[in-house]
Amino acid sequence: PFQVTQPNSSGVNWEPGTTETVLWHVGNSDQAPISCSTVNIDLSLDAGLTYPTNLATAVLNDGSHDIAVPALNTGAARVRVACASLPDHFFFDMSDADFPIQPDPATCVTDTVVRNFADSGNCSLRASVAYAETNGPGLTVTFAPELAGSTITLASEIAIASSLTIDGEDRAITISGGDSTRVFLVNSGTVVFDSLTIANGDSGRGHGAGLFVASSADVTITHSTIEHNRANQGGGAGIANNGGTVNLLYSALDDNNGRSAVGIFNTNSGTMTIDHSTVSNNSGTSSGGGIKNEANSQLTITNSTVSGNSAHWVGGIDNVGGATLTMINSTLADNSNQVALGGGIHNNGSTLN
């Protein structure tokens, strides 16, 4: 039968900028009644759902053709060989398994540019963060253009203890905990997360599934989204600030879930500023679906919206334990709780401005 034979397994890796050979079994497809003399070779980046990238057009149907691997990066590539004289969906075959297109981790040289979506190894995000810490402070980790739209799924949290920036630029990069681990732990340093999505973190019994900020850290999150993180036994599924300084600017915390202080947990004399941001649709089984500000912490919310959050007690903001909450030109709306203590704001033993 007419069949793609290479690449045809998950053990294949194509490296951008190299030449690879596509092989297929011609069968009798070049003879009547099909009479397919030439084929088109196309590339899918989404496990065969679509084939937007053409690798070769109207080449001989002789079972073999060399192609130039484009500057793309995916973990779900497939190749389709289709008869050029017929509609692409009429007579074709495609790879049976997804394969990656990424720089070879064995030969890639690590610097501050992330070049593959692997959890670890050369040119991974984890390796580039370590490089920036070793050669910094103050270096910026960025992502190669071919990584645009990629999700990097971590097997364990990335811990940061030095000043650096991780900038997704316009690449639409998602850093995921894979629903099994915290995404980022910032122990110290001045750290900036810019234009990233931090998602699907799980802190287990601890705090801060998306991001945990320790007391010696100063963290800014800007133009970013923190979503779908989970802290079933802890607080701050989105962000937990344990005595550090956090600035949330032009960003969104959305649809995080946990026990309490779900969207944001600001505690232990932490200082936090929320500006031009939204905290929405976070839900908890205890108190503080949106935000919990406690233990002598300082929280200032400016030009922002806290809405659609829910919890058993206190759906919106729980301000307790000697904390100070200041809200300026901001909206608090449509937050809900199941029992008394305040759907919008609960203030107990604390200062509310």
Side-chain angles (χ1 to χ4, degrees):
F2 185 83
Q3 184 177 32
V4 174
T5 58
Q6 179 179 303
N8 204 39
S9 71
S10 59
V12 173
N13 180 71
W14 281 7
E15 189 171 358
T18 61
T19 298
E20 293 286 350
T21 300
V22 177
L23 300 177
W24 65 97
H25 187 257
V26 176
N28 295 320
S29 63
D30 57 342
Q31 303 173 26
I34 299 172
S35 300
C36 179
S37 61
T38 60
V39 296
N40 297 330
I41 303 175
D42 299 303
L43 176 67
S44 172
L45 306 177
D46 55 10
L49 295 178
T50 61
Y51 285 84
T53 304
N54 177 254
L55 300 176
T57 300
V59 298
L60 287 176
N61 182 18
D62 58 4
S64 176
H65 189 75
D66 291 341
I67 59 93
V69 180
L72 299 170
N73 203 306
T74 180
R78 294 198 185 200
V79 164
R80 179 182 67 191
V81 179
C83 186
S85 61
L86 297 169
D88 287 339
H89 63 275
F90 187 80
F91 190 85
F92 69 93
D93 190 49
M94 64 182 187
S95 307
D96 291 337
D98 299 344
F99 65 92
I101 299 176
Q102 63 180 357
D104 185 351
T107 59
C108 188
V109 179
T110 297
D111 54 19
T112 57
V113 180
V114 181
R115 293 185 172 85
N116 63 51
F117 45 81
D119 165 68
S120 59
N122 294 343
C123 299
S124 66
L125 172 60
R126 192 181 302 276
S128 289
V129 167
Y131 178 93
E133 289 190 299
T134 300
N135 294 277
L139 296 183
T140 297
V141 174
T142 60
F143 299 83
E146 59 268 22
L147 278 179
S150 293
T151 296
I152 296 173
T153 301
L154 305 177
S156 61
E157 68 187 18
I158 292 180
I160 301 172
S162 182
S163 297
L164 57 85
T165 295
I166 302 177
D167 189 355
E169 300 174 302
D170 60 350
R171 309 281 195 244
I173 300 294
T174 297
I175 314 301
S176 170
D179 295 319
S180 64
T181 184
R182 176 188 289 127
V183 182
F184 289 108
L185 166 63
V186 183
N187 286 309
S188 59
T190 300
V191 177
V192 177
F193 298 98
D194 192 349
S195 302
L196 297 170
T197 296
I198 299 172
N200 300 109
D202 190 330
S203 57
R205 294 182 176 275
H207 302 313
L211 172 63
F212 184 93
V213 179
S215 59
S216 297
D218 185 326
V219 173
T220 296
I221 306 105
T222 182
H223 296 93
S224 295
T225 299
I226 300 177
E227 63 183 6
H228 311 320
N229 298 286
R230 181 176 61 204
N232 286 341
Q233 300 298 321
I239 301 172
N241 180 32
N242 187 32
T245 299
V246 175
N247 300 294
L248 183 70
L249 313 175
Y250 299 93
S251 295
L253 273 89
D254 184 70
D255 192 30
N256 300 284
N257 298 277
R259 186 175 64 86
S260 65
V262 178
I264 294 170
F265 187 29
N266 192 37
T267 188
N268 195 24
S269 300
T271 300
M272 188 163 189
T273 298
I274 301 173
D275 185 46
H276 287 90
S277 297
T278 60
V279 180
S280 60
N281 304 313
N282 303 284
S283 60
T285 57
S286 183
S287 64
I291 301 170
K292 189 167 188 176
N293 188 42
E294 68 165 26
N296 302 307
S297 295
Q298 309 287 318
L299 172 61
T300 301
I301 304 175
T302 307
N303 302 312
S304 296
T305 298
V306 180
S307 66
N309 303 285
S310 62
H312 190 72
W313 299 286
V314 192
I317 303 174
D318 197 11
N319 192 50
V320 296
T324 299
L325 169 63
T326 301
M327 294 189 70
I328 303 169
N329 195 33
S330 294
T331 300
L332 186 69
D334 300 322
N335 301 284
S336 61
N337 61 301
Q338 296 176 5
V339 298
L341 283 185
I345 295 179
H346 171 240
N347 186 61
N348 185 20
S350 298
T351 301
L352 177 61
N353 300 313

